[in-house]
Each structure stands twice: as structure tokens, then as C-alpha cells.
Amino acid sequence: MSFFKKLKEKMSQQTTTVTEKFKEGLSKTRNNFSEKVNELVSRYRKVDEDFFEELEEILIGADVGFETVMELIDELKKEVKRKNIQDPKEVQDVISEKLVAIYQNGEDQSSTINMQAEGLTVILFVGVNGVGKTTTIGKLAHKYKEEGKKVLLAAGDTFRAGAIEQLEVWGERVGVDVIKHTEGSDPAAVMFDAVQAAKSRQADILLCDTAGRLQNKVNLMKELEKVKRVIEREVPGAPHEVLLVLDATTGQNALVQAKTFKETTNVSGIVLTKLDGTAKGGIVLAIRNELHIPVKFVGLGEKMDDLQSFDPEKYVYGLFSNLVEQSEE
């Protein structure tokens, strides 16, 4: 059975709404990537070196990342040789299978959040200004509240003008309290108060916003370390997740940001926002393969429930849904 056919069967057994969100959210990338692959396949009568060179350019153009593209092309060449594939159309199936394999290979592949069975779960959000960090926190607060969890927000970005108010707006919108100090106050002091409030109110989840830009990188990272120390002192083992929020529309720049944060703070997962707004959704694979950090959530639209847990098979379905749906019964 072909990979497309297997994927079609699997998707038919899953929640239609979520599957459709991935399909709709990745439409720009699919139109850019999948259609170019289709066009490439239709032009070639055999799978040769020129075919692979053009495929390489298409993958790099989708921001899959140079290192990842080289690995993928090598794997494809081996598979084509092993299966003695002559027809370029058969390569499409192998490409999608390898994309899932690239994401799932290695350690820490789980996209699930490290929720504590008992007591407080603390999730710290990091990332530069403008990537959608506060919006992500608001949407996750909504998601967890809908699941019946008691959620609190900590307004730890005390440096950016309007950041506290922006988080408060989200808190009001989703019906969740925000623990805050005045603008310019010590973020670590905010976190201390937020943890105490979460404990006294018996909250299940504390979502913590942090500053996205201080005067320089060193200051920012020192501030994050201080915040983490306070949290860990008050809740042993916390923060249970450090989620780096990246804007998918910035492409390779998002990869550079991820490398910088990984060097200086213990990032446990990625939230990739605005995936629906880019034609270069291959950045998901570049981040996973080159940094070995799992993507835990992706933003697939503007609505409250458009922030979805990442699923590599749904992602590949979103990239190739036209071919998956055409696969023979």
C-alpha cells in the first residue's frame, strides 16, 4: 500500500475539523511546494540527476533548510535505487514518507506538553517581540480553560510598552486572571507573585509571558535565567516547558532565532505562529531536523481555536492533500 493511501486511511479516522485546519492552514505552502513538485514530475520521464537537482531547489525554496534538504535528497536517491523507481510520479509518495520520517527521527519527538498529573504546571514562553507570543498565550489559555483547567497568566514582559495591557485584554477575552506589576518592574518579582497566586488559588496551569527584547542579547538571556531560577525555587522541577515562539513568515530568520535561544536557554519546544501566512512552511522540518527541538503547536489562522498541537502526519497531509485525496481506493 502506498504512503498516500495509508495516510488517506489514517486521516479519514481522525477529527475532520483538525485535519481540515492543517489543510487550509498550509494552503500557501502547498500551492508553492506541492504544485512545483507536480510540475517537476510531469516534465521528467525518468528519475535522473537533473530531476534531483530541480527537486533540491524546490525544497530549499520552501525553507526546508539546506542541511535537511541534503539529507532528504540523499535518502531519496537511496530509496529510488533500492526500489528501482523509474517513474518520477512514484517519487512523490517517497518524498512525503521521508518528510514524516525526518520529523519523527531522533529523540524528544513528542509534541505533547509536559503536564503535571498533580499540582501546578508552569509553562514559560520566550521569543523576540512581534512573533505572536502574547496571542499564543491567550489562545492556549482558552484551550486549557475549555478543557476544564484552572489557568492563570503572568505578565512577565514588563519592558515593552503595552505588553501588560495586551495580556490583560486576552485574559478578559478568555476569562482568565492576569498577575501583573507596573511597567518597568522586575519580571522575576512578577513570577514570584504569580506562582504564589497560582498555588493559593489551586490553579492547574500558569502561563508566563517574558520580555522579548532588552538592550542586548546578554541582558535578555540573564533576565530569562533569573526568571527561571525564581520559578524553580518556588516550584521544584518547573518550568515544566520552555516554549520558544517563532514567526513562520520570517523563514530562515526564525531558524537563526531558535539557534540563539537554544544556546542560552533550555528550550523544550517550539510554537510556530502564522504558518498559514507563509508559502515556506518547510521551516517546520528545518527546525526539527537541525535543532532537534520538537514543534509543539502551530498557528493555522486568526481564530481562537486555530492554534493546533503539531502532528507530522497532518502536516504532510496539508502539504500533499490534493495527491492524498486522489490516491486510489
Side-chain angles (χ1 to χ4, degrees), residues 26-44:
L26 285 160
S27 61
K28 286 187 179 178
T29 299
R30 181 170 62 254
N31 293 341
N32 177 48
F33 174 65
S34 184
E35 286 183 11
K36 283 181 181 175
V37 172
N38 282 345
E39 194 268 330
L40 172 68
V41 163
S42 66
R43 278 193 294 107
Y44 279 82

Side-chain angles (χ1 to χ4, degrees), residues 53 86 125 179 210 228 234 247 254 308:
E53 276 188 23
Q86 303 293 329
F125 292 82
I179 308 303
T210 61
K228 281 176 70 182
E234 300 306 313
D247 179 346
Q308 292 289 324

Side-chain angles (χ1 to χ4, degrees), residues 77-93:
K77 284 179 178 178
K78 287 177 192 172
E79 196 74 358
V80 164
K81 190 175 181 181
R82 187 177 72 82
K83 291 183 176 178
N84 194 27
I85 294 171
Q86 303 293 329
D87 185 354
K89 286 188 176 68
E90 291 179 43
V91 178
Q92 285 177 311
D93 197 73

Side-chain angles (χ1 to χ4, degrees), residues 56-73:
E56 192 178 296
E57 286 177 19
I58 292 168
L59 288 161
I60 288 171
D63 261 349
V64 172
F66 182 77
E67 190 181 308
T68 308
V69 170
M70 294 301 102
E71 284 181 34
L72 181 59
I73 294 293

Side-chain angles (χ1 to χ4, degrees), residues 110-323:
S110 174
S111 61
T112 57
I113 293 293
N114 178 25
M115 284 291 177
Q116 302 306 290
E118 292 181 9
L120 180 65
T121 299
V122 183
I123 303 175
L124 191 65
F125 292 82
V126 299
V128 301
N129 291 338
V131 293
K133 198 161 63 222
T134 310
T135 301
T136 295
I137 293 169
K139 288 182 176 181
L140 277 180
H142 169 72
K143 169 184 163 62
Y144 291 134
K145 193 182 176 199
E146 288 291 295
E147 291 174 5
K149 306 281 189 189
K150 184 165 186 181
V151 185
L152 271 185
L153 307 181
D157 185 357
T158 60
F159 296 96
R160 180 171 64 88
I164 297 168
E165 289 81 0
Q166 190 184 354
L167 195 65
E168 282 186 297
V169 167
W170 271 105
E172 288 171 15
R173 190 180 296 173
V174 302
V176 168
D177 288 342
V178 178
I179 308 303
K180 60 171 186 172
H181 284 194
T182 55
E183 191 177 308
S185 57
D186 181 3
V190 177
M191 293 305 166
F192 176 84
D193 285 354
V195 169
Q196 300 313 312
K199 285 178 177 178
S200 67
R201 300 181 198 186
Q202 295 184 310
D204 299 303
I205 302 170
L206 176 63
L207 305 178
C208 306
D209 195 8
T210 61
R213 187 177 289 118
L214 298 183
Q215 287 177 321
N216 59 46
K217 187 178 83 174
V218 175
N219 284 351
L220 173 59
M221 298 310 168
K222 279 183 179 175
E223 195 62 60
L224 288 176
E225 280 306 312
K226 186 179 172 186
V227 163
K228 281 176 70 182
R229 279 199 308 273
V230 168
I231 293 171
E232 190 171 18
R233 189 184 68 217
E234 300 306 313
V235 183
H240 304 101
E241 293 278 0
V242 178
L243 299 182
L244 172 60
V245 183
L246 298 171
D247 179 346
T249 64
T250 62
Q252 290 297 305
N253 192 36
L255 195 60
V256 172
Q257 287 173 28
K259 285 177 181 173
T260 302
F261 275 91
K262 190 188 178 190
E263 284 167 10
T264 49
T265 190
N266 188 25
V267 175
S268 60
I270 303 284
V271 181
L272 201 57
T273 65
K274 309 173 194 176
L275 195 58
D276 59 306
T278 181
K280 297 187 173 188
I283 194 67
V284 170
L285 291 157
I287 289 167
R288 177 70 186 100
N289 194 49
E290 295 178 31
L291 298 177
H292 309 289
I293 305 171
V295 176
K296 301 219 171 189
F297 292 99
V298 286
L300 298 170
E302 298 295 321
K303 294 175 188 169
M304 196 83 83
D305 61 350
D306 283 341
L307 187 71
Q308 292 289 324
S309 297
F310 182 72
D311 181 306
E313 289 183 332
K314 288 190 179 75
Y315 167 75
V316 168
Y317 171 77
L319 290 182
F320 293 100
S321 58
N322 49 342
L323 295 174

